[in-house]
């Protein structure tokens, strides 16, 4: 932990590395563009001064995530949402969970998972390519993120294995053509403190070489018993224009996280969703922890071969280690006979995951008269070593009371540990894809995408002294069209399918496997509308998704999974971004979703068939609005997040909730001061459920943050 103490010195030293600039510039966050376009767009964007208008604050017309080509959203036959840096900063967001209110159809599941159009998933990309260094149990921090791009629906036609609900793409901050430097200090309740510094700009007079250096660190003591949280991120980048048509960008990010009292489970509830104990309750001892250390490396080469043909190649590699030592609830026991559970037995779990993974992605984009052709290829390989020991009650683990938890009764070092899993796995997936965007008329576009992809997985089970392998291939496709009726109305429709191979570790017979890959199909129809001289953008979408072979925890044996036969999701979404007045911005979204199990696999229909899918709320409403007081260089913001009733995997009710936030900003010279209050009325609620014995995952209590940002 000594490294955490070095932050003040690092901030002090770094602040003297660059001269002071009065105006702070922003950088482009476009993906999928050519080298010359990127440089041109950067020069334009970097000199924009925000005046409180919606079009320069929250609205981004970039559909490159959906099509991997520089295409406006209005010509993209699929729902796309882009959350820019300004919205991230206004909401005081430190990780993606703070932004779910601004993404229609997305709600929190647990840890890094979300519910996306009714389905649980954690499928993400960085700059459009595979390689998530945060792993399965940690949520990506937003310190080095320029934009959060959200593609709704299956993405398999271009991105390969992907969940049908959608895809989240994190656009990272790149070295900028003009100086873009800031120092940020933040403090809040629960002993929260953080500091960060970002330095970016040209290294040469002509800006043909550029750099970025960023450092972030925080610490807090969350309100639940025995918890302590520390995060540190170092982010560096170097870009060089090799010539006027070629740019090479190199990036390195190192992340360290230490969560004491974790891995966090939920708060126990009864079947109606009523909490059975204090919101501070925790099944973990103070010595329990989750720890992550990860480093990612990325290199991207953009090259314009001529005026109509451009290419890009991205190499991404990461390695990480996830250590977890935690107590797991295993029962809900009524010790006094009053009919209410008040005690749980526990397991102790010691898990060590080591991962290294790499991907190479190459694209060529050709502009041929009325056709934009994309041809690409992708290869991804991940290696994992997983070591898992466990102790139960008979091995010295003591249970814990809901009403009067006694910690430190036993020492985990005294437990008799038993080996559960010792595996080495290698997962390879690959794909070749092609896409044609045909501009039939100035108003009518038709897009067709297809991908041949597959996987080849192998797992060595050292405990059982056996090995197994799994492989398959498939063709994914997407067909869509957009039409411009007039300046106000832009309808679209699409049809797509998707495949997702099961995690190689889940294929073991000890986990209930092997299982067939997940398969999905989706039909979507939408309407994009623009009103009041383009100041109001209202988007509507309706979708129907069918997904097969979804793994869920077996309610009779939590070490195993069961595969559901077929789950159907259908719903409506509405997104509005508007400049209501010159100073008043509104971001509003609503989603209706109905996800039910239509055909449960033989043997588990008693638990699932005909039921609503776990953690899939029917109604969600998210609001974020900002009003600027130009005369005093200040702004006030207000937000709300409503999520309707849900159900856990074993049918426990998760009550509906509505949480309100507020923020105040004011500028003084080159300083920005900001106050954010989250969960304004300190509501006690759960964001989701899992299994009854684990409880429901509580939302944050009231959090108050004060931030000071110095731009130079």
């Amino acid at each position: 932990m000594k490294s955490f103490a070095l932050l003040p010195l690092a901030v002090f030293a770094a602040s003297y590395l660059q001269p002071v600039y009065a105006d702070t510039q922003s950088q482009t966050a476009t993906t999928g563009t050519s080298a010359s376009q990127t440089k041109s767009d950067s020069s334009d964007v970097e000199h924009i001064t925000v005046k409180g208008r919606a079009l320069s604050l929250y609205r981004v017309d970039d559909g490159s995530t959906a099509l991997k080509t520089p295409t406006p959203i209005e010509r993209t036959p699929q729902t796309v949402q882009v959350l820019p840096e300004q919205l991230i900063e206004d909401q005081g967001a430190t990780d993606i969970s703070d932004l779910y209110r601004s993404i229609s159809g997305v709600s929190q599941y647990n840890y890094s998972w979300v519910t996306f159009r009714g389905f649980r998933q954690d499928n993400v990309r960085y700059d459009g390519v595979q390689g998530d260094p945060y792993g399965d149990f940690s949520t990506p921090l937003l310190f080095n993120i320029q934009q959060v791009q959200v593609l709704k629906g299956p993405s398999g036609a271009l991105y390969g294995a992907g969940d049908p609900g959608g895809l989240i793409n994190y656009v990272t901050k790149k070295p900028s053509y003009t100086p873009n430097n800031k120092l940020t200090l933040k403090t809040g309740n629960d002993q929260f403190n953080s500091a960060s510094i970002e330095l970016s700009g040209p290294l040469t007079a002509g800006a043909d070489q550029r750099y970025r250096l960023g450092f972030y660190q925080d610490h807090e003591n969350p309100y639940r018993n025995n918890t302590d949280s520390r995060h540190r991120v170092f982010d560096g980048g170097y870009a060089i224009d090799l010539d006027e048509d070629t740019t090479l960008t190199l990036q390195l990010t190192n992340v360290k996280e230490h969560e004491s009292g974790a891995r966090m489970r939920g708060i126990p509830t009864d079947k109606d969703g009523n909490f059975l104990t204090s919101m501070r309750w925790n099944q973990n001892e103070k010595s329990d922890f989750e720890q992550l250390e990860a480093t990612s490396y990325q290199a991207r080469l953009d090259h314009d071969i001529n005026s109509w043909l451009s290419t890009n190649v991205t190499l991404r590699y990461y390695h990480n280690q996830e250590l977890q030592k935690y107590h797991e609830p295993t029962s809900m026991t009524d010790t006094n006979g009053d009919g209410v559970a008040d005690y749980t037995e526990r397991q102790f779990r010691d898990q060590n995951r080591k991962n290294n993974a790499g991907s190479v992605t190459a694209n060529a984009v050709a502009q041929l008269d009325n056709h934009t052709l994309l041809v690409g290829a992708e290869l991804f390989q991940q290696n994992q070593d997983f070591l898992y020991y466990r102790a139960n009650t008979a091995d010295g683990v003591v249970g814990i009371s809901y009403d009067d938890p006694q910690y430190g009764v036993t020492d985990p070092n005294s437990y008799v540990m038993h080996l559960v899993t010792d595996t080495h796995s290698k997962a390879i997936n690959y794909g070749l894809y092609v896409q044609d965007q045909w501009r039939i008329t100035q108003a009518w576009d038709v897009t067709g995408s297809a991908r041949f992809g597959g996987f080849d997985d192998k797992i060595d089970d050292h405990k059982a002294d056996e090995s197994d392998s799994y492989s398959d291939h498939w063709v994914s496709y997407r067909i869509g069209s957009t039409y411009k009726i007039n300046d106000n109305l832009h309808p679209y429709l699409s049809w797509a399918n998707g495949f997702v191979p099961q995690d190689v570790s889940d294929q073991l017979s000890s986990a209930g496997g092997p299982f067939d890959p997940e398969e999905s199909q989706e039909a979507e129809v939408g309407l994009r509308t623009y009103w009041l001289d383009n100041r109001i953008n209202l988007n509507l979408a309706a979708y129907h998704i069918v997904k097969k072979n979804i793994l869920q925890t077996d309610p009779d044996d939590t070490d195993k999974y069961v595969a559901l036969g077929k789950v159907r999701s259908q719903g409506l979404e509405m997104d509005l971004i508007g400049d209501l007045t010159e100073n008043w911005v509104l971001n509003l979204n609503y989603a209706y979703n109905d996800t039910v199990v239509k055909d449960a696999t033989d043997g588990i229909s008693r638990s699932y068939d005909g039921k609503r899918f776990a953690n899939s709320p029917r109604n969600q409403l998210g609001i974020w609005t900002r009003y600027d007081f130009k005369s005093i260089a200040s702004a006030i913001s207000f937000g709300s997040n409503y999520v309707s009733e849900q159900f856990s995997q074993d049918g426990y009710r998760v009550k509906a909730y509505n949480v309100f936030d507020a923020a105040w900003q004011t500028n003084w010279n080159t300083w920005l001061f900001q106050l954010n209050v989250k969960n304004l009325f300190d509501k006690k609620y759960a964001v989701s459920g899992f299994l009854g014995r684990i409880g429901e995952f509580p939302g944050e209590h009231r959090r108050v943050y004060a931030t000071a940002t110095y731009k130079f």
Side-chain angles (χ1 to χ4, degrees):
M1 296 302 171
K2 292 182 179 179
S3 58
F4 286 96
L6 299 177
L7 178 62
L9 179 60
V11 170
F12 179 81
S15 65
Y16 289 91
L17 295 178
Q18 289 292 314
V20 175
Y21 292 85
D23 296 325
T24 300
Q25 315 298 343
S26 64
Q27 70 184 88
T28 183
T30 304
T31 62
T33 59
S34 66
S36 60
Q37 287 169 327
T38 301
K39 286 181 277 189
S40 174
D41 292 346
S42 294
S43 299
D44 294 339
V45 173
E46 286 168 357
H47 291 86
I48 290 176
T49 301
V50 173
K51 296 295 185 183
R53 299 284 292 174
L55 299 185
S56 60
L57 281 178
Y58 296 162
R59 184 167 146 194
V60 179
D61 188 26
D62 175 17
S64 61
T65 294
L67 301 176
K68 291 195 174 185
T69 63
T71 305
I73 287 181
E74 65 184 42
R75 291 177 52 203
T76 301
Q78 204 163 344
T79 301
V80 180
Q81 285 184 262
V82 181
L83 310 183
E85 187 178 16
Q86 185 66 60
L87 180 63
I88 295 171
E89 291 180 349
D90 284 0
Q91 295 194 20
T94 57
D95 62 52
I96 186 64
S97 63
D98 294 322
L99 298 175
Y100 293 149
R101 72 151 63 83
S102 299
I103 309 173
S104 58
V106 171
S107 59
Q108 188 168 346
Y109 196 102
N110 60 3
Y111 310 122
S112 62
W113 296 344
V114 297
T115 298
F116 209 144
R117 285 188 169 178
F119 297 109
R120 184 187 76 182
Q121 65 183 73
D122 59 353
N123 186 25
V124 303
R125 294 289 190 274
Y126 284 81
D127 297 318
V129 300
Q130 295 189 69
D132 180 11
Y134 286 90
D136 298 328
F137 302 110
S138 185
T139 304
L141 297 174
L142 298 175
F143 163 67
N144 64 326
I145 301 303
Q146 185 75 23
Q147 283 184 356
V148 177
Q149 300 178 341
V150 184
L151 171 64
K152 306 291 186 67
S155 56
L158 294 183
Y159 290 97
D163 297 287
L167 172 74
I168 294 178
N169 179 46
Y170 294 99
V171 180
T172 59
K173 295 179 180 178
K174 311 294 193 303
S176 57
Y177 282 87
T178 56
N180 186 4
N181 309 315
K182 66 179 180 180
L183 169 68
T184 302
L185 304 174
K186 189 172 182 178
T187 189
N189 60 337
D190 293 342
Q191 301 179 45
F192 177 87
N193 289 286
S194 74
S196 67
I197 187 166
E198 297 177 76
L199 307 172
S200 185
L203 289 169
T204 59
D208 59 333
Q209 296 185 56
R210 302 167 298 283
Y211 80 101
R212 169 179 162 77
L213 291 174
F215 186 83
Y216 171 88
Q217 185 168 293
D218 70 28
H219 171 255
E220 66 177 323
N221 294 109
Y223 70 103
R224 292 183 67 180
N225 294 339
N226 299 330
T227 54
D228 178 272
S229 176
R230 300 171 185 265
H231 304 87
R232 192 185 75 187
V233 180
F234 170 79
D235 185 55
Y238 170 74
I240 179 171
D241 298 332
L242 301 176
D243 56 44
E244 62 179 8
D245 299 316
T246 309
T247 297
L248 174 65
T249 304
L250 305 175
Q251 295 174 264
L252 181 150
T253 303
N254 177 262
V255 177
K256 290 186 178 181
E257 297 187 351
H258 187 92
E259 306 278 354
S260 295
R263 175 179 175 189
M264 295 297 291
R265 291 303 197 181
I267 304 294
T269 70
D270 61 22
K271 291 186 176 181
D272 292 323
N274 300 305
F275 292 114
L276 297 177
T277 183
S278 165
M279 299 294 284
R280 296 183 179 274
W281 187 87
N282 184 2
Q283 88 285 349
N284 282 309
E285 299 289 332
K286 192 172 184 179
S287 59
D288 292 358
F289 68 88
E290 176 189 47
Q291 184 171 295
L292 169 72
E293 182 167 3
T295 304
S296 64
Y297 310 84
Q298 182 170 298
R300 172 165 169 147
L301 182 68
D302 290 272
H303 177 60
D304 291 341
I305 296 176
N306 51 43
S307 61
W308 56 269
L309 181 61
S310 62
T311 61
N312 61 74
V313 178
T314 303
L315 303 177
R316 184 174 177 85
Y317 172 81
Y318 78 87
H319 58 83
N320 71 10
Q321 183 175 20
E322 302 170 0
L323 297 174
Q324 296 185 94
K325 294 187 178 184
Y326 65 99
H327 286 78
E328 173 83 356
T330 59
S331 69
M332 296 185 71
T333 305
D334 175 14
T335 62
N336 57 17
D338 65 355
V340 179
D342 55 20
Y343 183 86
T344 178
E345 298 290 348
R346 296 184 296 175
Q347 290 177 344
F348 181 71
R349 300 181 177 182
D350 184 343
Q351 300 178 346
N352 183 352
R353 290 176 174 85
K354 294 182 180 179
N355 299 278
N356 64 80
S359 68
V360 55
T361 306
N363 299 291
V365 181
Q367 303 285 347
L368 302 174
D369 294 327
N370 295 326
H371 294 267
T372 300
L373 296 179
L374 167 72
V375 178
E378 183 180 46
L379 175 66
F380 175 77
Q381 177 176 318
Q382 180 176 7
N383 296 280
Q384 182 184 88
D385 291 294
F386 180 33
L387 193 61
Y388 173 18
Y389 289 90
R390 185 170 64 198
N392 293 295
T393 301
D395 305 310
V397 184
V398 176
I400 195 167
S401 167
Y402 293 167
D403 300 322
D404 184 24
Q406 299 295 314
Y407 300 105
V409 175
T410 58
D411 182 358
N413 292 321
S414 68
Y415 298 160
V416 178
M417 305 297 295
H418 302 277
L419 178 65
V420 178
T421 304
D422 182 3
T423 60
H424 172 78
S425 60
K426 180 172 72 173
I428 298 175
N429 63 66
Y430 54 86
L432 300 172
Y433 50 90
V434 62
Q435 175 180 270
D436 182 16
Q437 296 170 251
W438 181 16
R439 170 144 274 199
I440 299 176
T441 69
Q442 287 300 308
W444 185 17
D445 292 88
V446 175
T447 298
S449 313
R451 174 180 176 126
F452 173 81
F455 70 92
D456 188 2
D457 297 345
K458 181 179 180 181
I459 185 166
D460 298 320
D461 187 342
H462 300 306
K463 179 184 177 184
D465 193 23
E466 60 184 26
S467 299
D468 211 340
S469 60
Y470 317 89
S471 62
D472 203 351
H473 59 270
W474 57 81
V475 175
S476 301
Y477 61 84
R478 174 179 57 190
I479 301 172
S481 180
T482 63
Y483 190 81
K484 179 180 178 181
I485 297 176
N486 52 41
D487 289 341
N488 303 110
L489 303 175
H490 299 247
Y492 71 89
L493 56 85
S494 69
W495 175 268
N497 73 342
F499 293 83
V500 182
Q502 309 292 357
D503 288 344
V504 61
S505 60
D506 297 338
Q507 296 284 36
L508 289 171
S509 58
S510 60
F515 299 101
D516 292 332
E518 294 180 354
E519 301 179 31
S520 60
Q521 290 186 333
E522 184 202 53
E524 179 177 338
V525 59
L527 178 65
R528 297 185 176 97
T529 68
Y530 303 88
W531 306 100
L532 301 180
D533 196 25
N534 203 29
R535 291 191 294 111
I536 302 293
N537 174 210
L538 173 64
N539 300 324
L540 304 171
Y543 59 87
H544 178 92
I545 305 173
V546 175
K547 185 177 181 181
K548 301 178 181 179
N549 305 324
I550 305 173
L551 295 193
Q552 297 282 283
T553 302
D554 188 338
D556 296 326
D557 186 348
T558 59
D559 287 333
K560 293 185 177 182
Y561 294 96
V562 291
L564 300 184
K566 183 169 69 176
V567 178
R568 186 267 295 148
S569 169
Q570 58 188 18
L572 302 169
E573 294 172 352
M574 182 273 292
D575 300 284
L576 184 149
I577 301 178
D579 218 2
L580 302 182
T581 70
E582 183 179 357
N583 301 320
W584 188 8
V585 182
L586 175 65
N587 184 318
L588 180 147
N589 70 81
Y590 167 76
Y592 170 81
N593 174 268
D594 182 40
T595 303
V596 296
V597 179
K598 302 297 290 185
D599 181 17
T601 304
D602 290 343
I604 62 167
S605 59
R606 59 182 173 77
S607 301
Y608 290 100
D609 203 6
K611 293 186 177 181
R612 284 175 57 187
F613 201 49
N615 294 317
S616 54
R618 278 209 170 103
N619 295 280
Q620 296 173 249
L621 178 66
I623 300 172
W624 185 264
T625 184
R626 164 175 164 156
Y627 190 87
D628 284 76
F629 300 92
K630 291 184 177 180
S631 61
I632 56 174
S634 300
I636 188 170
S637 301
F638 175 81
S640 175
N641 185 28
Y642 170 78
V643 177
S644 68
E645 180 181 79
Q646 308 169 67
F647 292 92
S648 67
Q649 285 189 18
D650 48 6
Y652 279 45
R653 180 188 178 209
V654 181
K655 293 182 178 180
Y657 64 88
N658 194 11
V659 177
F660 299 91
D661 299 347
W664 170 271
Q665 293 180 349
T666 189
N667 289 275
W668 179 71
N669 293 330
T670 56
W671 284 91
L672 172 67
F673 298 99
Q674 182 167 324
L675 180 68
N676 287 83
V677 183
K678 300 180 180 181
N679 193 357
L680 187 64
F681 302 109
D682 202 20
K683 182 178 181 60
K684 296 180 180 179
Y685 67 102
V687 296
S688 64
F690 194 46
L691 297 171
R693 62 178 178 79
I694 290 176
E696 297 181 0
F697 295 93
E700 279 279 13
H701 68 161
R702 184 190 294 122
R703 301 301 303 270
V704 180
Y705 299 99
T707 307
T709 302
Y710 175 60
K711 301 181 179 182
F712 56 100

